[in-house]
Amino acid sequence: MEAVAVKRPQAGEVEERQAPALEVEGRKIRGRIPYGTESRDMGGWKEIIERGALNRAELDDLVVTVDHVGLPLGRYPGTLEVEDRDDGLHWSVDPPKSREDIREAVERGDLRAGSWRMVVGKDEWRGDTRHVLEIKQLRDVSVVTRPAYPTAEVEFRSAEATRKAHAEVEETQTEERTEEVRVESNPAGSLRVEERTEVPQLKGLMEEYRSRGFPSETASLSWDEFRTVTWSASTAALSVNRINGVDLGADRRYAWQAVPNVSVDAGVTSVDVFQQTSRSLAGTANVIRAIDATSNKPETGSTLTITNVPLKQVATVESGIPNVYLEQDALATVVENDLRLAVNDGLDELVRAGLATSGFQAPGTDNILVSVRKAMTTIFANGYRPDTLLLTPANAETIDTMVSGISGGTADFVFGPGRFAPGTLFGLNVVVSKVLAAAVVLDSTANGKLYVSPITLARFEEAAGKTNTSLVRLGGHAAYGVERTGAAVRIAAS
């Protein structure tokens, strides 16, 4: 029997999906585009929308419809409200009174799910699973019949049922989250805007490991879980999780946050990386030809290879820890600061070593700003799109304190005191890494990927129990696979 080719979606196409958790509360219909949820089989492949994929989506023409046709039930930002949360993009609308049939269909169970149409800007395939990293445009959201994601349902709630449900949530889930509900009236129409702000009671890294058996057992978190506890998944919005108002970790101090991260299994010892060491694009003068031309078309040259990159141990230990500390909050300081930051330094060293294979641009007499801008030009000429600037701490200090002159006895700061870091420069996302030897401009989507195994926390009692002290180890395996050396340029300040 002839095999049937599986048609996979391509970034840039208009795609339609169905989402779970559509519900009606009072007069309001609510839906969600979920993050981190695997879809049903969609014809030989599945899909996961990564957290933060809708951070920069265009919503200018976003409307709510029924089965993606007919008159809109609402339009953003007027009668359609959206909110990007950790578990997905939540939307809500109070349809016109003339569309009571929609609410009735939900109550009867005829309409069971929400849906949306999107244009994907960036994705990544891991086997047969597509990971949507960035959604460029959200065309519409809709009330439909059948979901593409599991556990989807439509629930109709009267105002009294909603009040009781909220009371039950507050009583049974206080430890997991607190929810504040505020209802406002809209004098411009019939919409009652109900704004919800969920404040998750975030767990720390040590709490996550304890929940998995530490210190009695060695405990592991997948790399995706490890990142979620310590940082948000999006490098465009590195909002650090906090415990009791205290930052749990670094914000923009590590280069590995700026490149795509891929979680691999604990048993993986190496990864195959598709590398492009060089390429030459056909000149525009040759690409554009007469419509009836019959001569050979111009070639675009490329040197390609598949390289097996071994993973390295990335681990650190702290010894002499009194056993009594293992069950106390004091150990959280050791794990969440000392050990974790040392592992982060190791991951950054892998990224640095990978970036060292890219070209170096001597600054000459140029200052750091001119050097960065020239490096961008080089990357553009290589056919890539620079989007990230990695700085050494000294580079960041130079830019932060750079002055254009002295007027009236006062320094005129180029960016104004405190306005540059953290932030952007020439449209580049700025990250500071202490392991870098020189600043780097790169196309983070093209240069390479960081592959990381689960991060394990283990405890070993010292001196066969004679000293009542233990050694604690945090670590895993990782590798940085360089795919396109021309997508990065190293520079230095004069």
Side-chain angles (χ1 to χ4, degrees):
M1 178 181 293
E2 184 178 352
V4 178
V6 176
K7 185 180 185 302
R8 292 182 170 184
Q10 301 293 323
E13 301 174 344
V14 178
E15 305 176 42
E16 181 179 326
R17 300 289 184 271
Q18 288 77 44
L22 182 68
E23 63 179 19
V24 171
E25 294 186 355
R27 292 187 50 82
K28 189 178 292 293
I29 297 175
R30 297 184 178 278
R32 175 170 62 95
I33 300 175
Y35 293 153
T37 300
E38 188 175 87
S39 71
R40 302 182 191 278
D41 191 319
M42 301 176 73
W45 57 278
K46 296 183 180 181
E47 182 177 75
I48 297 174
I49 297 179
E50 296 294 348
R51 188 174 290 109
L54 280 152
N55 279 350
R56 301 181 181 180
E58 298 176 13
L59 307 177
D60 298 344
D61 297 319
L62 182 61
V63 296
V64 185
T65 59
V66 179
D67 285 326
H68 301 286
V69 296
L71 293 175
L73 302 178
R75 180 180 292 274
Y76 177 83
T79 52
L80 168 62
E81 187 179 52
V82 300
E83 182 183 355
D84 198 13
R85 305 182 194 171
D86 285 344
D87 63 342
L89 184 80
H90 290 248
W91 58 267
S92 61
V93 65
D94 185 350
K97 292 182 179 179
S98 61
R99 302 306 306 273
E100 289 294 332
D101 58 322
I102 304 302
R103 216 179 325 272
E104 182 181 0
V106 173
E107 183 180 19
R108 285 160 47 96
D110 300 331
L111 296 174
R112 296 177 178 273
S115 175
W116 74 94
R117 289 191 299 176
M118 64 183 178
V119 176
V120 173
K122 183 166 62 175
D123 60 5
E124 178 180 286
W125 287 90
R126 304 174 194 170
D128 292 329
T129 302
R130 182 197 195 194
H131 293 255
V132 176
L133 306 178
E134 178 182 319
I135 295 176
K136 180 180 179 181
Q137 184 182 35
L138 195 59
R139 292 290 185 90
D140 69 358
V141 291
S142 189
V143 181
V144 295
T145 304
R146 184 178 183 274
Y149 287 80
T151 67
E153 61 180 14
V154 172
E155 183 177 349
F156 179 87
R157 295 183 181 178
S158 65
E160 177 63 18
T162 298
R163 184 192 66 75
K164 291 181 179 179
H166 287 171
E168 291 174 1
V169 168
E170 287 184 5
E171 182 176 333
T172 60
Q173 298 183 358
T174 301
E175 295 182 359
E176 297 180 10
R177 68 183 188 187
T178 59
E179 185 176 81
E180 178 181 330
V181 179
R182 179 164 57 88
V183 180
E184 298 177 352
S185 62
N186 184 356
S190 61
L191 174 66
R192 289 168 51 220
V193 178
E194 183 176 317
E195 179 180 319
R196 292 187 172 203
T197 303
E198 290 190 354
V199 183
Q201 302 302 305
L202 300 172
K203 292 183 178 180
L205 192 60
M206 191 66 251
E207 289 182 67
E208 289 291 343
Y209 280 122
R210 287 196 194 283
S211 69
R212 304 191 184 205
F214 186 88
S216 299
E217 302 176 9
T218 297
S220 291
L221 294 175
S222 72
W223 177 241
D224 289 337
E225 292 170 330
F226 186 89
R227 291 188 69 203
T228 301
V229 173
T230 52
W231 285 275
S232 69
S234 170
T235 58
L238 292 171
S239 55
V240 183
N241 285 351
R242 304 166 78 85
I243 298 178
N244 299 325
V246 179
D247 286 352
L248 183 60
D251 46 4
R252 291 178 178 267
R253 291 184 292 173
Y254 292 99
W256 62 257
Q257 299 174 85
V259 299
N261 285 202
V262 179
S263 179
V264 299
D265 293 336
V268 173
T269 59
S270 64
V271 291
D272 289 334
V273 178
F274 185 84
Q275 293 183 337
Q276 181 187 67
T277 55
S278 66
R279 73 173 179 179
S280 58
L281 302 179
T284 55
N286 298 322
V287 171
I288 301 174
R289 311 187 317 150
I291 196 168
D292 58 350
T294 58
S295 58
N296 291 337
K297 295 179 177 64
E299 286 194 25
T300 292
S302 183
T303 303
L304 306 172
T305 184
I306 295 179
T307 301
N308 186 264
V309 178
L311 270 65
K312 306 285 187 179
Q313 286 187 24
V314 181
T316 184
V317 301
E318 186 156 339
S319 59
I321 299 176
N323 289 341
V324 68
Y325 286 2
L326 299 178
E327 299 292 348
Q328 298 182 2
D329 291 340
L331 188 61
T333 300
V334 174
V335 173
E336 294 169 358
N337 289 283
D338 305 339
L339 298 180
R340 184 177 57 82
L341 298 184
V343 169
N344 287 338
D345 285 349
L347 296 174
D348 255 26
E349 173 58 25
L350 292 174
V351 175
R352 184 209 63 77
L355 292 171
T357 62
S358 296
F360 186 87
Q361 183 167 295
T365 58
D366 296 329
N367 63 34
I368 183 65
L369 294 183
V370 176
S371 295
V372 168
R373 189 58 189 83
K374 287 184 176 180
M376 292 175 64
T377 300
T378 300
I379 294 176
F380 278 126
N382 290 343
Y384 302 104
R385 184 190 61 156
D387 60 10
T388 301
L389 171 60
L390 307 179
L391 295 175
T392 69
N395 294 148
E397 178 184 347
T398 297
I399 295 175
D400 285 341
T401 59
M402 186 175 290
V403 296
S404 58
I406 305 293
S407 61
T410 303
D412 295 326
F413 288 93
V414 174
F415 296 97
R419 290 179 59 188
F420 167 67
T424 61
L425 180 65
F426 301 128
L428 305 174
N429 292 322
V430 178
V431 178
V432 178
S433 170
K434 68 181 182 181
V435 307
L436 293 178
V440 182
V441 177
L442 75 153
D443 181 342
S444 65
T445 66
N447 180 254
K449 296 182 179 70
L450 180 67
Y451 300 85
V452 192
S453 75
I455 303 298
T456 299
L457 183 66
R459 170 246 183 167
F460 305 91
E461 190 161 7
E462 297 175 315
K466 294 179 180 179
T467 59
N468 286 327
T469 61
S470 291
L471 177 148
V472 174
R473 181 187 68 202
L474 181 71
H477 305 148
Y480 185 66
V482 178
E483 296 178 0
R484 299 172 181 86
T485 57
V489 172
R490 295 173 293 148
I491 60 176
S494 59

